[in-house]
Structure formats: C-alpha cells, structure tokens
Amino acid sequence: MTEPAIPVTPLPPASGGAQWLATARCGTAFDVISAPGLFGRRVLERLWSAGPGRGPVAAHRGRLLLFAQAGTAARLPALLRWEEWNRGARLIPPLLCHGVGDVVTVPDGRTAANGQWLVAPQSRHPWLPGPEMLLWACVRAARDGSRRVPEPAIFADDRRGANVYDVSRRR
C-alpha cells in the first residue's frame, strides 16, 4: 500500500534561516530524522498540537525530513527500541537518522527535485526538537495510527435495524 503524496507549498527560508543552513553542518548544529510521509505527518501533528514549537521540516521523495537537535540521530533509535521492548508488533516504521558525518540534501526552494520546505528555517537559531520530544511524538503517532476507528453509524440508535440500500449504482 502506498502512502498518499504530501501536499506542500514551496516556502523559501528567510535570510537568517538561509545563513543558518549555509553555515551549519549535519551532526554539529542539527540532525535530520527522515520518516515515511504518512507517519511523519502524524508525528508533526503531535508536535504541533501538543508540543512546544515548530522546527524546520522538509518533504523529499515521499519522506519528511525533521530537523532536530544535534545528537538526536544517535539517541533516538535507542530510545525507540527501549519504548517498544515488550511489543510483538512494530508500531513505528523505520526512521532514517542522519547525524555526524552524514550529508543531507536540503530543499533549495527553486526546484521540486530537491524537495520542498513545509516549515522553512526562519532564523539563525531555530527551535529544534530533542530526542525525548521526538520519542514522545513518534510513540503517540504510532499508537493513534494503530487504533481502528469504528465506522460511523448511518442512523441513530432507534433505527439501527433499518434496511440500507446502495443507490450509487442505480441506472
């Protein structure tokens, strides 16, 4: 099953954000956590609805690139293994963690081939989530995604035995 495409609106980084990207190095100023598109969206919803802030986020080839505090790429996988130690099924899809020594292609804002910013860095010191914050968001996103939502009833309880016909296929 393929994941839906992530709708993005191209947003260039502000001048301070562009300077930060030009001078910062992956693993020293930031790490990048690459998540599958649908799961990444759920993580973002958790971070944005109940979390403390919004850090830079890009979409690239069906994945979301979450910029995080330096050291997150080394710490997050161990935290995720610890959190899932007693579960038989994997709830969290594989995340690619880019840290010290890794090179990450960031969107240039001119072409969609290099990805596009969902939240472009707007300052020289953007807010970046740490490993504990991403663990919290990943676990809650996985638990929310694994729950089956019951189908809504067509009728109120008093008409539950009524016959329902599919009229969409009528000639």
Side-chain angles (χ1 to χ4, degrees):
M1 182 172 152
T2 61
E3 294 177 356
I6 302 167
V8 294
T9 304
L11 294 172
S15 62
Q19 288 174 342
W20 175 70
L21 282 172
T23 59
R25 299 267 186 255
C26 185
T28 56
F30 62 87
D31 285 355
V32 175
I33 308 302
S34 176
L38 183 59
F39 182 73
R41 275 288 191 187
R42 289 183 188 137
V43 170
L44 284 181
E45 287 173 8
R46 282 312 214 162
L47 283 173
W48 292 355
S49 65
R54 296 181 180 193
V57 179
H60 188 267
R61 295 184 180 173
R63 295 184 70 88
L64 289 187
L65 305 176
L66 298 118
F67 285 71
Q69 292 175 3
T72 300
R75 182 83 176 114
L76 184 60
L79 289 173
L80 288 171
R81 280 192 302 277
W82 174 79
E83 179 63 31
E84 291 189 309
W85 70 271
N86 62 350
R87 290 171 181 61
R90 281 187 66 93
L91 298 177
I92 298 175
L95 303 176
L96 303 175
C97 300
H98 304 283
V100 177
D102 292 333
V103 177
V104 178
T105 302
V106 296
D108 58 9
R110 294 183 295 253
T111 64
N114 289 337
Q116 294 179 325
W117 287 106
L118 296 177
V119 179
Q122 298 299 317
S123 70
R124 210 152 157 62
H125 302 286
W127 177 83
L128 299 172
E132 294 83 8
M133 181 60 62
L134 284 172
L135 171 70
W136 173 85
C138 286
V139 168
R140 275 149 188 84
R143 288 179 183 161
D144 290 348
S146 67
R147 291 188 185 128
R148 293 197 40 92
V149 179
E151 292 292 324
I154 295 174
F155 299 110
D157 290 329
D158 60 337
R159 297 192 290 171
R160 200 169 281 284
N163 292 331
V164 178
Y165 301 99
D166 182 5
V167 295
S168 63
R169 296 185 187 167
R170 291 183 101 181
R171 294 178 204 203

